[in-house]
Amino acid sequence: MDNRPIGIFDSGVGGLTVFKQIRKELPNENIIYLGDTKNFPYGNRSREQIVDFAMENAKKLIDKNVKMIIIACGTATSQAIDVLQEKFDIPIIGIIEPTIQYVKEQNIKEIGVIATEGTIRSGAWEKKLKENIEDIKVINKACPMLATIAEEGKAESKEGRKAIKEYMEPFKKNRINKIILGCTHFPIYDRIIKEELEYDVELIDTGITVSEYVKKFLMEKNLNNIEDESRESIYLTKPEKEFKNIAKNIMGMDIEIMNI
Ligand code: DGL
C-alpha cells in the first residue's frame, strides 16, 4: 500500500478526461493534476519542445512526491514517454500502451485514429498497433484544430462542428466503426462526432483504457491506496479563463485551481 498521490499531466484541460476515469476507477487514490497551460498547445510543436515540456512537468510532479506519473496527453506520450521512462525511476504510463492492449483484446482488424498533428506525424499509434496486431488496417487523421477549440470552451460551437465534419470525412466514407480518440481533448467531442457519423461507432476513450490499466498495475505492485479519504489538487502553469468551466463540464463538479 502506498498513499502518495498519482501525478497526471497534460498541456491543458484534455487530461481531465483521464483524471475523471481514474477518479471513477480508483476512488481511494490521491491525485495531483498538472495542466501545462503556459505551453499549450503541444500538438504542433517539435519533438524537442515536447520532450522539454514533458520533462519539466514530470519534475514538478516528482517534487510533489507522486508515486507514479500518467502522461494524459497523446502528443507527449507519442514523443516523450521513452525519454521520461529512462530518466526517472518511478513508473510512467502513457495513453498508447493501455489502449493498444484494449484494441488487441477486442480483436479489432480495422481502426481509425484521430490525434494532434504531432502525434500523427510521429506515427506512434500506427507503429504500436501494427507491432501488436497482425494485419490491422489503420486510418489516421490529424485534427490540428480540435484541442484549441476545446480548450477555448467552444467544442459545441459552429466552429467545433465544422471542424468535426471535415475531420470525420475519411471515416464516414468508409464507415469505420472503431476510432481511437488519440488526443485526450477529444472525448469532449464524443457526442458531436457520433452525430456527425450517423452510424454506430465506438469511440475509444483513452481515459477508460488507462484507468483500467493503472488499477491493475497498482494492485499487482501493491502500490494502491487503501485509506478511505482521497484528495485532489489541480495545478496550472498559467491561469486560464475557461479552465474552471470546462473542468466542471468534464468532471461534473467544481474544482479548485492553483498555480505552479
Ligand atoms: N491533450 C493533448 C493530447 O492528447 C494535447 C493537445 C495539445 O496540446 O495540442 O495530445
Side-chain angles (χ1 to χ4, degrees), residues 10-12 14-15 39-44 72-76 95 115-116 119 144 147-148 182-186:
D10 178 41
S11 59
N39 295 309
F40 179 88
Y42 283 6
N44 51 2
C73 171
T75 312
I95 66 164
T116 63
T119 302
T148 302
C183 166
T184 53
H185 280 72
F186 295 0

Side-chain angles (χ1 to χ4, degrees), residues 23-256:
R23 177 42 79 236
K24 219 169 163 180
E25 197 70 44
L26 294 158
N28 295 348
E29 296 298 329
N30 297 307
I31 302 175
I32 297 184
Y33 183 88
L34 170 60
D36 187 17
T37 40
K38 186 172 66 148
N39 295 309
F40 179 88
Y42 283 6
N44 51 2
R45 309 267 197 178
S46 68
R47 178 172 182 271
E48 288 70 29
Q49 283 177 307
I50 300 295
V51 169
D52 284 351
F53 299 152
M55 287 285 283
E56 270 312 299
N57 296 337
K59 280 186 204 151
K60 284 183 178 135
L61 289 170
I62 289 168
D63 282 348
K64 300 219 169 282
N65 198 27
V66 297
K67 62 182 166 189
M68 68 174 295
I69 291 176
I70 300 172
I71 309 178
C73 171
T75 312
T77 303
S78 67
Q79 293 163 81
I81 192 167
D82 298 351
V83 183
L84 263 54
Q85 283 174 334
E86 188 157 329
K87 187 87 193 165
F88 303 107
D89 54 12
I90 60 167
I92 298 185
I93 290 171
I95 66 164
I96 297 184
E97 190 77 38
T99 310
I100 302 290
Q101 257 190 32
Y102 170 81
V103 174
K104 197 170 175 180
E105 279 158 23
Q106 301 297 307
N107 213 11
I108 296 170
K109 290 289 172 216
E110 184 177 52
I111 198 152
V113 179
I114 55 173
T116 63
E117 209 159 4
T119 302
I120 298 297
R121 182 193 60 219
S122 79
W125 281 103
E126 181 157 4
K127 183 167 168 272
K128 294 268 178 208
L129 283 162
K130 290 192 165 159
E131 263 170 24
N132 286 280
I133 305 161
E134 214 183 312
D135 293 335
I136 191 161
K137 189 175 162 210
V138 185
I139 297 148
N140 294 293
K141 179 76 185 157
C143 307
M145 292 307 296
L146 292 190
T148 302
I149 297 173
E151 194 80 12
E152 287 168 354
K154 295 187 191 147
E156 309 238 339
S157 70
K158 229 168 138 182
E159 197 185 351
R161 286 176 189 272
K162 192 167 158 250
I164 290 293
K165 194 176 168 62
E166 180 195 328
Y167 296 143
M168 285 306 120
E169 221 186 283
F171 306 113
K172 199 168 180 175
K173 205 167 69 196
N174 298 300
R175 282 186 88 83
I176 303 299
N177 63 3
K178 309 271 178 196
I179 301 174
I180 296 174
L181 305 177
C183 166
T184 53
H185 280 72
F186 295 0
I188 299 172
Y189 293 94
D190 188 282
R191 198 166 55 84
I192 304 174
I193 294 176
K194 286 180 175 152
E195 278 173 19
E196 173 58 30
L197 290 178
E198 292 174 321
Y199 55 82
D200 230 7
V201 59
E202 181 188 5
L203 301 177
I204 300 169
D205 181 338
T206 60
I208 298 176
T209 58
V210 169
S211 58
E212 286 166 0
Y213 185 98
V214 170
K215 184 177 184 179
K216 237 167 83 211
F217 175 84
L218 292 178
M219 302 283 239
E220 273 168 22
K221 304 270 177 216
N222 207 12
L223 284 172
N224 51 322
N225 185 17
I226 50 172
E227 283 170 4
D228 272 349
E229 269 184 30
S230 59
R231 285 182 312 278
E232 42 225 22
S233 318
I234 299 187
Y235 293 93
L236 298 183
T237 52
K238 188 181 122 203
E240 199 180 88
K241 213 169 98 232
E242 287 303 322
F243 198 95
K244 214 177 161 86
N245 282 337
I246 308 170
K248 190 172 179 181
N249 279 341
I250 297 173
M251 308 286 292
M253 62 180 187
D254 268 315
I255 54 162
E256 198 196 318

